[in-house]
Structures are given as structure tokens and as C-alpha cells.
Amino acid sequence: MGTVVEASSKEASGSSLSQKKPKVVFVLGGPGSGKGTQCANIVEHFGYTHLSAGDLLRAEIKSGSENGTMIQNMIKEGKIVPSEVTIKLLEKAILENENDKFLIDGFPRNEENRAAFESVFGDLQTGITPEFVLYFDCPQEEMEKRLLSRNQGREDDNIDTIRKRFKVFLESSLPVIEYYNSKEKVRKIDAAKPVEEVFKTVKALFTPVVDKAAA
């Protein structure tokens, strides 16, 4: 009986998403690459809604729901939260928001995330895939310098932890970037430049062709 309910629920959400046809841009970059700052700029200038996979998981935990408790227990035990759980939260956030343009920040973190996203969003009637992947490329030394200067005193941002996070990013997220690059969907940004210069490059990617011609 549960299977029928699950199937019909998936069908209903699938149908809602295909009707909405959201425009999705994935945002990836190492810790300290400045993607949070740039996402805020894109939201302000181009009216996107910023969805952070990490923030959605934290909000679910804070809500005290059964799902939130399960997520919290998994994190406590050092287990990775299943991709399906994160995707369900993303799907819910997209459907509940009136906007139809979304920046999905820090996702997909790995190949498993990517495959799960495609199996849920890609098997809809219209097939929802990212418009492109915004990749903030920044040298490790620059990211370390930024994180250490802005997070003095925070235990989770000491040099060893930062290097571990960077290593995880290289091992997990680079294969995702390579996958989308093979489909010519990656827009690589030199994130080592000053914030204003970086946004100038980002802005060009989001400005419609018509606006560019008019300018």
C-alpha cells in the first residue's frame, strides 16, 4: 500500500514541477571561493531565489520534524545524508516558492547527488536540467587566506579543517564539474579576482541576450 502512495505522491510532485518548469542554475566552488557573496548579488540583480542544500538540511533539523530528527541522527553518527532526502527538500522549496528561477548552492556535491537529481528531476515529462553550472574557480592559497582572515577564532576554520574541506571538494565535486563540462554546461569564473570584478563576469552570464544588444 505504501508503494502506491509513494508512487502517486512522486507522480503528483513530478507533474507540479513539470508544470512550473523552474529555471535552475547549480553553483559550485570550494570553501572560501566567494560563491555566497556572488549568489546574494545575483538574487539582488536578477531576481533568483537562493537555495542552499546545507541551509535546507539545517532548517529541517531545527523544525523538529521526524525527517529532521532522522537527518540530525545521521549527521551525529557521521553518516552521509542520502541524496534523496536533500533532493526532496529542494523539490519542496522549489514548489512552495512563487519564483521560477533558482540558484542551487553547494549541490550536487558529488556524482551520487547528481545522478539522484537527474533521476528525480530528469524523468519528469519536460525533464528539468540545470541551465548551466556556475563554477567559482579559486586557488587553494587564496581560499585559505580568506577563510582564516574572516573566521578568526572559529574552531571549524583552522588550517587543517580548511584543507580537509578543500580535499573533499576536489575529490567529490570536481567529477561533477567535469561531467557538466563534457555537456558544455560549465561557466567557469576566476574567483581569485576582487568581488566587483568577479560579479562583472557573473553579470554577463545572467544578462539576457536582448538586454546586451540593447546596451
Side-chain angles (χ1 to χ4, degrees), residues 117-199:
F117 181 91
E118 287 188 357
S119 77
V120 173
F121 284 74
D123 67 359
L124 306 179
Q125 219 168 7
T126 51
I128 294 163
T129 57
E131 298 281 316
F132 58 88
V133 177
L134 194 57
Y135 170 38
F136 290 101
D137 185 30
C138 194
Q140 184 174 353
E141 299 74 29
E142 177 62 25
M143 290 195 277
E144 284 177 9
K145 195 170 77 179
R146 289 177 184 178
L147 290 171
L148 289 169
S149 66
R150 77 178 183 202
N151 292 313
Q152 284 173 341
R154 270 184 53 172
E155 279 180 38
D156 60 339
D157 272 328
N158 60 54
I159 195 72
D160 291 337
T161 309
I162 290 167
R163 283 179 181 164
K164 276 179 196 161
R165 285 166 65 196
F166 187 72
K167 186 170 181 280
V168 167
F169 172 75
L170 287 178
E171 289 171 356
S172 305
S173 301
L174 277 189
V176 175
I177 291 161
E178 282 160 12
Y179 170 84
Y180 283 114
N181 199 36
S182 72
K183 296 187 172 292
E184 299 183 346
K185 286 206 165 193
V186 173
R187 306 292 178 266
K188 189 173 168 180
I189 305 286
D190 179 357
K193 291 179 178 175
V195 174
E196 298 76 15
E197 278 187 51
V198 173
F199 187 56

Side-chain angles (χ1 to χ4, degrees), residues 8 27 29 35 45 47 50 55 88 98 138 150 180 184 208 210:
S8 61
V27 183
K35 57 190 174 68
H45 286 80
H50 180 204
D55 286 351
K88 210 74 193 150
E98 288 179 11
C138 194
R150 77 178 183 202
Y180 283 114
E184 299 183 346
V210 181

Side-chain angles (χ1 to χ4, degrees), residues 23-43:
K23 184 177 181 177
V24 168
V25 173
F26 288 151
V27 183
L28 294 172
S33 60
K35 57 190 174 68
T37 302
Q38 296 303 332
C39 281
N41 284 336
I42 296 163
V43 167

Side-chain angles (χ1 to χ4, degrees), residues 11 46 60-61 94 100 126 155 165 167 191 198 214:
E11 207 174 284
F46 297 102
E60 190 67 19
I61 290 169
I94 288 170
D100 63 350
T126 51
E155 279 180 38
R165 285 166 65 196
K167 186 170 181 280
V198 173

Side-chain angles (χ1 to χ4, degrees), residues 109 161 201:
R109 279 187 186 277
T161 309
T201 311

Side-chain angles (χ1 to χ4, degrees), residues 74-120:
M74 290 196 79
I75 291 169
K76 270 185 190 168
E77 289 165 25
K79 293 178 182 170
I80 294 168
V81 177
S83 298
E84 288 71 21
V85 173
T86 308
I87 286 163
K88 210 74 193 150
L89 293 175
L90 284 168
E91 186 182 17
K92 184 169 175 268
I94 288 170
L95 285 173
E96 286 176 355
N97 196 296
E98 288 179 11
N99 202 352
D100 63 350
K101 301 188 294 184
F102 297 90
L103 297 173
I104 300 185
D105 179 5
F107 184 93
R109 279 187 186 277
N110 52 40
E111 277 290 278
E112 193 223 341
N113 279 176
R114 179 194 63 72
F117 181 91
E118 287 188 357
S119 77
V120 173

